[in-house]
Amino acid sequence: MKLILLGAPGAGKGTVAKLLTKMDGSVQISTGDILRAAVAAGTELGKQAEAAMKAGDLVSDELIMGIMRDRLKEDDCKNGYLLDGFPRTIPQAEALKELLADMGEELDAVVNIDVPRDVILDRLTTRRTCTKCGEIYNVKSNPPKVEGICDKCGGPVVQRDDETEEAISNRLDVYNEKTAPLAGFYEKEGLLLTVQATSSDAVIDAIKEKLGK
Ligand code: ADP
Ligand code: ZN
């Protein structure tokens, strides 16, 4: 399947994407993960993205489109892809539309995961991430077996730089201003599926029903 996962930070896009990859072999593409890896590796891309990311602001559309133009042409996209955290602005959505048209591809749906703000705030302040493999934990509901160490890869599990209260509040404002309008954009395209759900299983069920699987 070819899906865009839309939703505020902390809505569960990444979790849903990981579950969906197991269903049909489609690949999760997270621009946030790509950028964090670039920052960690100290590449030119990472240097250009670092300051904006740390503040919870968006990285430029040009930078993101440069990444995605290459990424969507890779072999592993043949079985479908789940776009997690992209597009995030109307110009990105327009550029993606053009890119897909050039490639002769069509999206199956744009899934808008709608979660109440208080749930999101609670999730983000208690979220911890493995800096090595990207596995996500929660200090309250799903802590690593050994504090600070990833169950999967043994890497360090930490609070992200952009998950301080100040950066979180900024990310939510940026989301409302720049990304929330994408729901209207995809509604017009006839692709929007809005799911009001706090459980990822409920989101998966709604997607299966929509795609008739
Ligand atoms: P979230 O948990 O907020 O959904 P992500 O991991 O998707 O966070 O992204 C982390 C940061 O990377 C964002 O706050 C932003 O600075 C940058 N970023 C990721 N994807 C995009 C994008 N499509 N456009 C602009 N900036 C992006
Ligand atoms: Zn790990």
Side-chain angles (χ1 to χ4, degrees):
M1 62 191 119
K2 299 192 176 96
L3 297 182
I4 291 174
L5 298 168
L6 210 59
K13 300 182 295 289
T15 310
V16 167
K18 285 197 178 74
L19 291 168
L20 289 171
T21 56
K22 291 181 191 140
M23 283 169 46
D24 70 350
S26 39
V27 62
Q28 173 189 11
I29 302 178
S30 157
T31 40
D33 286 348
I34 293 171
L35 292 170
R36 275 186 291 278
V39 171
T43 63
E44 191 50 40
L45 170 67
K47 283 180 195 137
Q48 286 174 27
E50 195 167 11
M53 289 178 73
K54 194 161 179 176
D57 291 327
L58 293 182
V59 169
S60 78
D61 291 335
E62 291 69 35
L63 212 67
I64 296 290
M65 289 316 301
I67 296 173
M68 290 307 291
R69 265 187 206 103
D70 294 339
R71 186 64 188 87
L72 287 173
K73 283 170 190 148
E74 280 175 38
D75 265 356
D76 62 350
C77 292
K78 292 279 177 294
N79 297 323
Y81 38 78
L82 310 157
L83 305 183
D84 161 13
F86 168 86
R88 260 217 194 26
T89 63
I90 295 281
Q92 287 179 23
E94 274 163 354
L96 174 65
K97 187 177 171 183
E98 208 169 294
L99 176 61
L100 291 178
D102 285 349
M103 293 171 69
E105 294 185 9
E106 267 177 49
L107 296 168
D108 295 305
V110 175
V111 182
N112 184 22
I113 309 175
D114 191 8
V115 176
R117 190 183 167 104
D118 54 329
V119 176
I120 288 204
L121 275 174
D122 187 59
R123 276 188 193 165
L124 290 179
T125 47
T126 54
R127 181 153 93 173
R128 300 292 181 271
T129 309
C130 173
T131 55
K132 211 166 144 197
C133 77
E135 186 71 7
I136 289 172
Y137 296 91
N138 184 290
V139 286
K140 284 195 206 158
S141 61
N142 175 34
K145 288 193 185 76
V146 181
E147 198 191 324
I149 295 175
C150 181
D151 294 350
K152 282 207 169 156
C153 77
V157 173
V158 302
Q159 184 162 30
R160 274 165 41 182
D161 277 347
D162 63 355
E163 286 178 354
T164 61
E165 264 190 69
E166 197 187 343
I168 288 170
S169 142
N170 187 40
R171 276 159 71 205
L172 292 177
D173 290 346
V174 169
Y175 182 81
N176 289 331
E177 186 190 332
K178 304 255 173 66
T179 310
L182 293 187
F185 180 94
Y186 287 115
E187 172 101 78
K188 276 194 211 125
E189 303 271 310
L191 287 168
L192 193 71
L193 167 69
T194 296
V195 191
Q196 257 134 0
T198 46
S199 102
S200 22
D201 287 341
V203 177
I204 303 280
D205 288 345
I207 294 170
K208 278 189 193 159
E209 196 187 312
K210 162 96 173 174
L211 302 185
K213 286 184 184 173

